[in-house]
Amino acid sequence: MAGTRALLRQCPLLLPQDRHGTAYEGFVTAQGRNFHIRILLPMDLQLKNARVECSWRLKRILHSYRHILKQRLHSCPDLVSFMVELKTVLEIALKNTQDLHIPRPPEYYSCLVRDLEILGWNRVAYVDTGLTTVKLKAEDSCARQHLITLKLNAKYPTEPPDCLVDFPVPFAVSWMPQNSLIDIYNQFLAALESLKEFWDALDEIDGKTWVLEPENPTRSATSRRIAIGNNVSVNIEVDPRHPNMLPECYFLGADHEVNPLRTKLNNNMHLWDPEISLLQNLRELLGIDFPSRAVLEKSDFAKDCGICYAYRLEGSAPDHVCDDPRCGQPFHQACLYEPLTLKSSTKKL
């Protein structure tokens, strides 16, 4: 209920279409203009598997921002947060679309080219033909590659460019009219180093365990679903600002398998040591060794759904397991819900 109220405050013209909260339709407003949109969520309400439908006009405006919105779907914790991000991206897109029709003065081009030369062309990954979009590349202290996309308006350098990054936290640029691209680049490098421990922790998990979801995590993704055993896993949500602290943990699997793990975590929580890695802490608190990529294949512990006979359904792995110790068959929540809905409808008829 609180989530619905928050959504109405952000998007008063976007209304729920069913009592389950899986379909929303209406309008998103930006710069005084309304754009038709429809959002369909799976039955488990996982935002990363949502489908977004919109008018051809909105689709054309957001065409260059598709990969950013896809990242936001994976990283935002709820629909309200995603709609805030969507409106922000839409504001930027509209402003840049309008800017395309504003002729740039000669000073704009000479200033931009000078700034790029000062920065160094070796740091430039892409420049569009209109010199309105620039992508800069950087390497952090652990040799990870990163990109920052700059959308420049006609008033550059009086006004800063809009900056788009694959970060788990907002990236705000400090800017004055006398600043240049190298100032943004240096702030970008500083932000990369501030997230080093976060990415170190998740890189270790990605490299040494079997991550079931997300299948191809972006740098902005803060959650990992890690395989523990046959149809048993733990979903962790890591705080990017405090990556060495105990993350939120949610166990998935049959009760007789996950209840002992929950008990161990609760009993050993006080032993969490921020001086050692997140993965090592989880091993010690739970008293387990996570399946290793070097030893096991994913098929050794990842079974297909017992209803649709597929492992992935709209990008999601099975997240429910039969509690009967003699069974242990995994299912997608959506697959379980569908026959129950059909059965309920048949009874009413």
Side-chain angles (χ1 to χ4, degrees), residues 14 44 66 187 213 250 261 302:
L14 185 66
D44 59 6
R66 296 190 315 277
Q187 293 177 55
E213 295 179 293
Y250 177 71
L261 293 171

Side-chain angles (χ1 to χ4, degrees), residues 179-279:
N179 288 143
S180 68
L181 295 186
I182 198 164
D183 296 296
I184 291 180
Y185 191 79
N186 288 334
Q187 293 177 55
F188 180 53
L189 291 177
L192 292 178
E193 289 311 303
S194 72
L195 291 166
K196 176 185 177 300
E197 291 186 350
F198 169 74
W199 286 322
D200 284 348
L202 292 184
D203 281 355
E204 183 183 20
I205 288 171
D206 292 339
K208 296 183 178 179
T209 71
W210 274 111
V211 173
L212 303 179
E213 295 179 293
E215 194 168 16
N216 298 299
T218 62
R219 288 296 175 192
S220 60
T222 57
S223 66
R224 295 291 190 275
R225 181 179 167 192
I226 310 170
I228 294 177
N230 192 18
N231 301 316
V232 183
S233 59
V234 60
N235 193 84
I236 63 168
E237 184 71 34
V238 183
D239 183 348
R241 300 192 187 279
H242 305 285
N244 294 325
M245 303 306 292
L246 177 66
E248 292 182 28
C249 297
Y250 177 71
F251 293 96
L252 298 101
D255 286 345
H256 68 277
E257 295 278 4
V258 302
N259 283 343
L261 293 171
R262 290 195 190 103
T263 301
K264 282 183 181 178
L265 181 65
N266 292 332
N267 291 343
N268 297 332
M269 208 175 285
H270 65 284
L271 299 176
W272 186 273
D273 183 359
E275 298 300 318
I276 62 176
S277 75
L278 189 154
L279 180 59

Side-chain angles (χ1 to χ4, degrees), residues 7-135:
L7 184 61
L8 284 172
R9 283 196 298 270
Q10 287 294 335
C11 303
L13 301 181
L14 185 66
L15 301 175
Q17 301 298 300
D18 62 10
R19 59 188 178 87
H20 305 296
T22 60
Y24 293 83
E25 188 166 5
F27 298 88
V28 58
T29 305
Q31 294 192 9
R33 298 167 61 183
N34 294 327
F35 299 92
H36 182 258
I37 190 169
R38 187 168 185 241
I39 300 175
L40 303 173
L41 297 166
M43 292 312 304
D44 59 6
L45 302 181
Q46 290 290 312
L47 196 61
K48 62 189 175 184
N49 298 319
R51 190 164 80 248
V52 180
E53 300 173 353
C54 61
S55 63
W56 66 268
R57 185 175 288 105
L58 181 57
K59 188 178 292 186
R60 187 178 64 182
I61 292 170
L62 294 174
H63 178 75
S64 300
Y65 301 84
R66 296 190 315 277
H67 67 289
I68 296 168
L69 292 174
K70 190 173 182 180
Q71 289 172 0
R72 297 301 183 263
L73 272 176
H74 278 266
S75 61
C76 287
D78 51 46
L79 183 57
V80 178
S81 302
F82 173 72
M83 291 308 299
V84 171
E85 295 278 1
L86 174 61
K87 289 176 70 175
T88 301
V89 171
L90 180 55
E91 291 279 354
I92 293 171
L94 285 171
K95 188 168 71 171
N96 287 327
T97 302
Q98 293 164 4
D99 283 342
L100 290 176
H101 305 292
I102 300 175
R104 263 68 169 169
E107 295 80 12
Y108 167 89
Y109 297 104
S110 59
C111 180
L112 178 57
V113 171
R114 185 191 68 236
D115 285 355
L116 288 171
E117 288 178 345
I118 293 172
L119 177 66
W121 289 101
N122 60 314
R123 295 170 174 171
V124 178
Y126 168 83
V127 180
D128 72 337
T129 54
L131 295 182
T132 59
T133 300
V134 177
K135 293 183 180 181

Side-chain angles (χ1 to χ4, degrees), residues 271-345:
L271 299 176
W272 186 273
D273 183 359
E275 298 300 318
I276 62 176
S277 75
L278 189 154
L279 180 59
Q280 187 59 34
N281 266 304
L282 289 174
R283 285 173 177 151
E284 294 185 6
L285 264 64
L286 298 175
I288 60 172
D289 283 322
F290 291 97
S292 168
R293 286 175 171 270
V295 178
L296 298 173
E297 296 293 329
K298 186 179 285 189
S299 57
D300 292 333
F301 47 78
K303 281 187 181 179
D304 293 342
C305 170
I307 295 175
C308 71
Y309 303 110
Y311 182 66
R312 294 209 173 270
L313 177 67
E314 296 181 348
S316 290
D319 51 5
H320 280 62
V321 177
C322 177
D323 284 331
D324 189 333
R326 297 167 299 177
C327 177
Q329 176 65 52
F331 303 95
H332 297 110
Q333 181 172 336
C335 293
L336 286 172
Y337 183 84
E338 187 175 351
L340 289 174
T341 306
L342 291 173
K343 185 176 180 181
S344 175
S345 301

